[in-house]
Amino acid sequence: MADIARRTEHRYGNRPTMKDVAARAGVGLKTVSRVVNGEAGVTPDTERRVQEAIEILGFRRNDSARVLRKGRTATVGLVLEDLADPFYGPLSRAVEEVARAHGALLINGSSAEDPDREQELALALCARRVDGLIVIPAGDDHRYLEPEIRAGVATVFVDRPAGRLDVDAVLSDSFGGARDGVAHLIAHGHRRIGFIGDRPRIHTASERLRGYRSAMEDAGLPVDEAWVSPGSTEPERVAAAVRGMLAAAEPVTALFAGNNRVMVTVVRTLAGHPRPVALVGFDDMELADLLGITVIAQDAAALGRTAAERLFRRLDGVEDAPERVVLGTTLVARGSGEIPPTAR
């Protein structure tokens, strides 16, 4: 029982140190340091004893001192909007792959679209001495990062630009993509087209609404404000907006969904509608190909990869002016956006 107690006494919270390794291997602290850091001057037999002690004790090197010496932690932070959103999966993975290629570890977290939580998370990552930050912003004022940037934290914004802060940003062409999607509906005969989007304070949402209005204006078509419904992506709100547009005296014959979460609810709501309604959505989504949904696809992986590559360029010492990189979108026609208008 005493032996079991000794083995479990420090199970949590007390990590073995180099001093513990030295005691178990019967060598000096400097010898353990040389083995751990791959330095010369240790005999093969002594190195074997130290490595055995390391394995038995489960010792892991504490890099804090090396961080202080080198000034770099080989970690970068990623602040996402929502870890559950499938759009951010390929984006996050692309950032991680670039970080790994540079020998860095990625730490990420979600702001849940809350500006206060975004700030708290970003500053917490900075307090843990990350070398750089990639941020998908929830707020519209990012001056809180100015002291961190002056202290050397490389920072790149992705998907949406920073607010009141001049830093690199990598974006999709939300305006051009939405304009192309609505123009596609117009080309297939639609004149009454509804727009259902996210909160207008969000950069991507406002740009997509602007693209919708631009396409309608270019075609000489009036926009009834009853056809425009920005707001939360909660299913109840989106479904109510769809039903309202379809129940009007002059119902819309087509819909443009401003993002993948909106589109999912629109598809479910249209499933119970007696007449076919054309649909184009911004963002691709799982099973959209099987369901025949026409989309404006953006390359989330390219967004993440481009942002990460820009971040590591900064970490490598590139000091040119902050740049805004805009990546194009692709219209993928699958059937729903090609449905012609039908009489009520």
Side-chain angles (χ1 to χ4, degrees), residues 286-310:
E286 191 174 3
L287 301 182
D289 54 340
L290 295 178
L291 295 172
I293 300 171
T294 297
V295 300
I296 300 298
Q298 52 181 332
D299 192 337
L303 281 171
R305 184 169 55 253
T306 304
E309 288 170 349
R310 186 71 186 176

Side-chain angles (χ1 to χ4, degrees), residues 63-212:
D63 284 337
S64 298
R66 296 173 71 249
V67 167
L68 291 174
R69 287 197 305 271
K70 296 185 176 183
R72 293 277 289 269
T73 62
T75 58
V76 294
L78 172 60
V79 179
L80 297 163
E81 176 204 336
D82 183 356
L83 289 170
D85 189 329
F87 173 75
Y88 295 118
L91 187 154
S92 177
R93 180 166 184 175
V95 173
E96 185 173 26
E97 287 174 350
V98 174
R100 187 165 180 249
H102 285 82
L105 178 70
L106 177 68
I107 305 171
N108 62 31
S110 171
S111 70
E113 201 62 59
D114 181 341
D116 292 334
R117 185 166 169 178
E118 172 216 298
Q119 179 174 340
E120 179 184 354
L121 177 56
L123 293 179
L125 290 168
C126 290
R128 283 158 178 76
R129 301 287 299 274
V130 294
D131 298 322
L133 277 178
I134 295 176
V135 181
I136 297 171
D140 55 11
D141 187 349
H142 296 94
R143 289 175 295 174
Y144 68 85
L145 283 172
E146 286 178 341
E148 310 301 332
I149 293 171
R150 285 196 299 268
V153 179
T155 305
V156 176
F157 278 64
V158 66
D159 191 42
R160 308 165 188 172
R164 307 181 74 177
L165 186 67
D166 190 19
V167 294
D168 293 316
V170 180
L171 317 172
S172 287
D173 185 6
S174 286
F175 168 77
R179 183 183 57 194
D180 291 347
V182 176
H184 185 73
L185 291 168
I186 294 169
H188 283 81
H190 296 277
R191 299 295 178 265
R192 299 193 302 274
I193 301 169
F195 175 93
I196 304 177
D198 210 332
R199 297 173 180 88
R201 67 173 177 79
I202 298 171
H203 173 80
T204 49
S206 65
E207 283 295 282
R208 291 166 197 176
L209 177 54
R210 193 168 70 89
Y212 161 81

Side-chain angles (χ1 to χ4, degrees), residues 200-252:
R201 67 173 177 79
I202 298 171
H203 173 80
T204 49
S206 65
E207 283 295 282
R208 291 166 197 176
L209 177 54
R210 193 168 70 89
Y212 161 81
R213 292 188 184 278
S214 177
M216 296 292 279
E217 182 180 352
D218 290 346
L221 298 175
V223 174
D224 187 328
E225 291 306 311
W227 302 344
V228 179
S229 181
S232 82
T233 58
E234 290 298 318
E236 295 79 8
R237 186 205 74 85
V238 173
V242 172
R243 289 192 293 266
M245 292 181 192
L246 296 178
E250 289 190 299
V252 299

